[in-house]
Amino acid sequence: MSQVQRSHWTSRIGFVLASAGGAVGLGNIWRFPYMTGENGGSIFILIYLGCVILLGLPVMIAEVLIGKTTQLNPVGAFRQLAGSKSPWQVPGYMGILTAFTILSFYSVVAGWCIAFLYKAVTGVFSSGISFEEINNIFKKLTSSPIEQGIFHSIFMFFTVLIVYAGVKKGLQRWSEILMPLLILIIIILIGYGLTLSGAKDGMRFLLEPQPNKLTHKSIMDAVGQCFFSLSLGMGAMLTYGSYMDRKDKVVSPCLWVVFMDSAIALLAGIAVFTIVFTYTTDLSQGPGLVFVVLPNIFSKMPLGTLFAILFFTLLFFAAITSAISLLEVITAYFIDQYDMPRSHATIIFGTICLIIGVGCIFSGEFFDFLDKLSTHYLLPIGGFMISLFAGWKLDQNIVKSEFQGSWYGIFYYPWLICVRVICPTLILLVFLRAHGVI
Ligand code: PHE
């Protein structure tokens, strides 16, 4: 066990910005809009927000609290609370595995963002380029190992650099710089989107409920998206919680993080759909929505190159503040449990993720495998175990003291019901349904 004194965030806002930075990522700006597009718009958003309140917030509070209480990485934390022979260590180990899995393919997608940013800066999306040409640019990129490899490596290099610099000078500092910039860029994009002719249709798509579009798949997608977007079920929030001061309370910072993550997903939805509806009604693009449809639209807009640059900068900022939280989970584990110096841990494990990511570049099936393994299995199973642990095993006096003496005190029992019954049941049902058991 490490003897090195644990670093802490320098302020409460430092925790909120770093954690919101960890949560807000490609999940909000790339995945949320296309999931919403595929699942019928507003009805998906309503279910998603329901999941955020019933699953996301309670599990987030549980994770951050476990981290703050133990001041340890996910494995160390469960070990300390449950004993070193207890099966409750499983979610801890699974968290480390999930961090490797997600970071490897995440960095490849983030590499596409840098590639598109580079293309935007060099004027590739200026007017005159056809839909087919943009489609081909995306296809060419995703089938070129060299091009993808270069941008994937650049992204991983920055990720390692920030985590190498540590909790205060790396994670906190860069989140404090990038998050306000990210919010500013999103506001500019929305301001612009709302002046376009598709603004009304875009907003109607996001706000007008169409219950007939509701399917089992939408519910499963919403649950998966909730865990992915809020970075839950794998100890990322637990690790960030472990850098909180023991004196600080967790409920209100968690409310802020959940609020910011959901607000930014919705704002990204507004920005994307007001722009999309101005030029097309075809929403069946799936993952290509922001890489094919948007650049195509940018190329038709006045000042399109500028907006393309802004948009891909936004994606890059969002991705990097999340990637550092993934690498930090692995780093914290090796620092705490094996006394490894931070510098060694970041370089070694960053390189390992880089290599696994190269596997994703060469094999689309491997990419999909890692994506599905984490979002369909590891995160929900992790979330299931963490909520059961928090509800049934964790000393409830620790939890009660977090809720006491504040306006949110009345929410202790609703929280308890959620983590004891509602979260595990919902996750189990969705999981069984998704795998055809029920
Ligand atoms: N929440 C991040 C996003 O929305 C992804 C992520 C998942 C990051 C799990 C850390 C842990 O893009």
Side-chain angles (χ1 to χ4, degrees):
M1 192 77 65
S2 173
Q3 304 306 315
V4 183
Q5 187 148 42
R6 199 168 196 75
S7 295
H8 287 101
W9 311 111
T10 55
S11 60
R12 276 186 52 197
I13 184 88
F15 165 78
V16 172
L17 281 181
S19 308
V24 174
L26 297 173
N28 303 58
I29 298 163
W30 166 63
R31 213 164 181 271
F32 182 78
Y34 87 75
M35 286 270 148
T36 306
E38 281 181 348
N39 287 301
S42 54
I43 190 72
F44 177 77
I45 296 183
L46 278 181
I47 299 173
Y48 176 73
L49 293 178
C51 290
V52 166
I53 293 168
L54 287 178
L55 298 175
L57 185 58
V59 176
M60 168 93 61
I61 292 174
E63 276 204 31
V64 176
L65 181 56
I66 293 171
K68 188 199 79 162
T69 309
T70 57
Q71 303 274 301
L72 285 169
N73 67 92
V75 173
F78 286 105
R79 223 182 237 188
Q80 189 187 85
L81 293 172
S84 61
K85 299 234 158 46
S86 159
W88 285 113
Q89 286 175 81
V90 172
Y93 283 109
M94 256 173 46
I96 313 297
L97 175 71
T98 315
F100 275 106
T101 318
I102 299 185
L103 182 56
S104 305
F105 75 83
Y106 200 83
S107 170
V108 175
V109 180
W112 301 345
C113 303
I114 306 183
F116 269 60
L117 178 58
Y118 174 73
K119 290 178 200 299
V121 171
T122 51
V124 171
F125 304 129
S126 54
S127 56
I129 186 162
S130 71
F131 185 83
E132 268 63 51
E133 280 171 300
I134 293 183
N135 217 346
N136 283 340
I137 291 178
F138 184 60
K139 276 212 193 103
K140 218 180 112 211
L141 171 69
T142 50
S143 53
S144 157
I146 306 256
E147 208 182 345
Q148 286 187 90
I150 292 173
F151 290 108
H152 163 52
S153 311
I154 295 176
F155 183 80
M156 196 61 91
F157 174 76
F158 282 123
T159 305
V160 169
L161 212 63
I162 296 178
V163 180
Y164 186 106
V167 173
K168 291 189 188 108
K169 294 205 182 110
L171 307 176
Q172 180 172 346
R173 184 168 78 183
W174 283 99
S175 303
E176 281 174 351
I177 296 173
L178 297 177
M179 282 306 283
L181 283 174
L182 182 141
I183 293 172
L184 182 72
I185 297 179
I186 241 181
I187 291 174
I188 297 176
L189 286 168
I190 291 183
Y192 181 73
L194 288 176
T195 63
L196 296 173
S197 58
K200 238 204 210 131
D201 289 338
M203 293 304 286
R204 191 172 304 136
F205 177 71
L206 291 172
L207 298 176
E208 215 170 62
Q210 293 170 298
N212 55 335
K213 295 255 172 75
L214 183 64
T215 62
H216 284 296
K217 183 180 167 289
S218 324
I219 302 177
M220 283 179 251
D221 280 347
V223 172
Q225 175 64 16
C226 169
F227 276 97
F228 187 80
S229 184
L230 290 169
S231 306
L232 295 174
M234 53 146 305
M237 287 299 156
L238 188 158
T239 305
Y240 274 21
S242 76
Y243 302 129
M244 273 177 105
D245 200 300
R246 278 221 170 89
K247 290 195 298 295
D248 283 340
K249 299 267 186 189
V250 307
V251 179
S252 105
C254 285
L255 276 169
W256 274 106
V257 176
V258 169
F259 169 75
M260 283 174 75
D261 187 75
S262 312
I264 291 179
L266 292 176
L267 293 177
I270 296 179
V272 169
F273 286 110
T274 48
I275 298 176
V276 166
F277 271 93
T278 304
Y279 296 91
T280 176
T281 47
D282 176 17
L283 300 174
S284 57
Q285 289 291 332
L289 184 68
V290 305
F291 289 106
V292 179
V293 178
L294 277 184
N296 184 48
I297 289 167
F298 290 138
S299 73
K300 296 200 183 90
M301 287 172 16
L303 295 179
T305 294
L306 175 71
F307 285 105
I309 294 174
L310 280 179
F311 184 78
F312 289 109
T313 308
L314 172 74
L315 269 184
F316 171 65
F317 286 172
I320 191 103
T321 48
S322 294
I324 56 179
S325 75
L326 288 160
L327 185 56
E328 182 62 24
V329 170
I330 306 170
T331 305
Y333 168 64
F334 283 94
I335 295 179
D336 288 350
Q337 305 298 124
Y338 300 97
D339 264 336
M340 197 184 259
R342 172 172 286 273
S343 52
H344 292 194
T346 47
I347 294 174
I348 295 172
F349 299 109
T351 310
I352 292 180
C353 291
L354 180 75
I355 296 169
I356 307 176
V358 170
C360 296
I361 291 176
F362 278 101
S363 157
E365 278 101 55
F366 186 56
F367 183 111
D368 286 345
F369 168 72
L370 292 189
D371 180 3
K372 297 251 156 60
L373 177 69
S374 48
T375 49
H376 288 185
Y377 295 90
L378 295 170
L379 293 183
I381 297 175
F384 177 80
M385 292 168 97
I386 292 170
S387 63
L388 283 181
F389 180 85
W392 297 97
K393 179 91 185 148
L394 192 64
D395 177 359
Q396 287 304 316
N397 290 324
I398 301 177
V399 192
K400 273 190 196 140
S401 67
E402 287 294 331
F403 280 84
Q404 265 156 13
S406 185
W407 62 268
Y408 46 73
I410 45 163
F411 289 109
Y412 169 65
Y413 284 105
W415 174 86
L416 192 62
I417 295 169
C418 280
V419 288
R420 281 199 166 170
V421 186
I422 298 179
C423 302
T425 314
L426 249 171
I427 299 170
L428 192 67
L429 286 179
V430 168
F431 189 78
L432 294 179
R433 172 85 210 169
H435 297 93
V437 182
I438 52 171

